[in-house]
Amino acid sequence: MPRRRKVTVRTPLPDTKYTSVLVSKIINKVLAHGKKSTATTIVYKAMEIAGKKLEKEPIKVLEQAVKNVTPLIEVRSRRVGGANYQVPTEVKPHRRQSLAIRWLVGYPQDRKGIDMADALANEIIDAYNKTGASFKKKEEVHRMAEANRAFAHFAKY
């Protein structure tokens, strides 16, 4: 059954320090229990650490890190004739960015015993250098899509 109306995509307001929507989205992803000021502090601190370690502008480092982690294709499950196939499909631009942010923020949250700002900074640096858990996740998703290329003809158009 089709949807009744189109879903409106809400983009958050740009953050105050860098006037970037991307930073704002990352802050919202780090956000836990409604403590936005804490999340903002964590993200800004992580960006400063990453910028200092790489001796580059923090916003440029973050943008490049997100770009490096952004997936282009993924596999989607599709049922055809009683069998489920993993069909490689192109990722829509909005989903690309949200997946990249989810992976970039998700892995540092899993690491216990280390300050969130430091963990996030390390993940940003790793993503910038094309290493780390979030970049490996992107590579894994691309590998899965490549392995299932034989089922690409099942993709919906």
Side-chain angles (χ1 to χ4, degrees):
M1 213 160 126
R3 284 180 177 270
R4 291 172 193 258
R5 76 183 140 233
K6 231 19 181 164
V7 177
T8 55
V9 178
R10 293 183 301 240
T11 53
L13 296 170
D15 72 299
T16 52
K17 190 172 182 180
Y18 297 102
T19 61
S20 167
V21 175
L22 176 65
V23 174
S24 199
K25 286 179 180 181
I26 290 172
I27 289 169
N28 288 341
K29 198 68 185 168
V30 171
L31 186 71
H33 309 291
K35 298 192 173 188
K36 189 141 191 175
S37 58
T38 308
T40 305
T41 307
I42 289 169
V43 173
Y44 287 161
K45 191 174 168 189
M47 287 176 66
E48 291 302 320
I49 293 167
K52 276 194 185 105
K53 282 188 180 176
L54 294 170
E55 296 172 358
K56 289 186 173 55
E57 217 176 305
I59 189 72
K60 300 282 185 219
V61 171
L62 184 70
E63 285 171 353
Q64 187 59 47
V66 170
K67 195 181 285 185
N68 289 346
V69 176
T70 303
L72 300 173
I73 52 173
E74 68 179 344
V75 289
R76 292 212 125 142
S77 204
R78 178 125 156 79
R79 192 166 174 84
V80 179
N84 284 321
Y85 295 104
Q86 296 283 21
V87 180
T89 55
E90 195 174 329
V91 186
K92 291 178 181 166
H94 189 265
R95 181 167 162 77
R96 278 181 197 173
Q97 191 181 43
S98 73
L99 280 174
I101 292 169
R102 190 181 310 161
W103 295 340
L104 204 60
V105 172
Y107 289 107
Q109 284 177 337
D110 294 342
R111 294 186 65 180
K112 300 294 179 215
I114 184 171
D115 183 39
M116 181 58 186
D118 293 332
L120 183 59
N122 289 339
E123 192 60 42
I124 290 169
I125 291 166
D126 286 346
Y128 183 85
N129 294 326
K130 297 186 179 182
T131 57
S134 51
F135 187 77
K136 282 187 177 52
K137 176 71 175 174
K138 174 202 168 182
E139 294 289 300
E140 183 184 314
V141 167
H142 278 215
R143 246 193 321 278
M144 282 282 288
E146 189 63 35
N148 289 295
R149 235 173 65 193
F151 306 124
H153 63 282
F154 288 129
K156 288 182 185 175
Y157 293 106

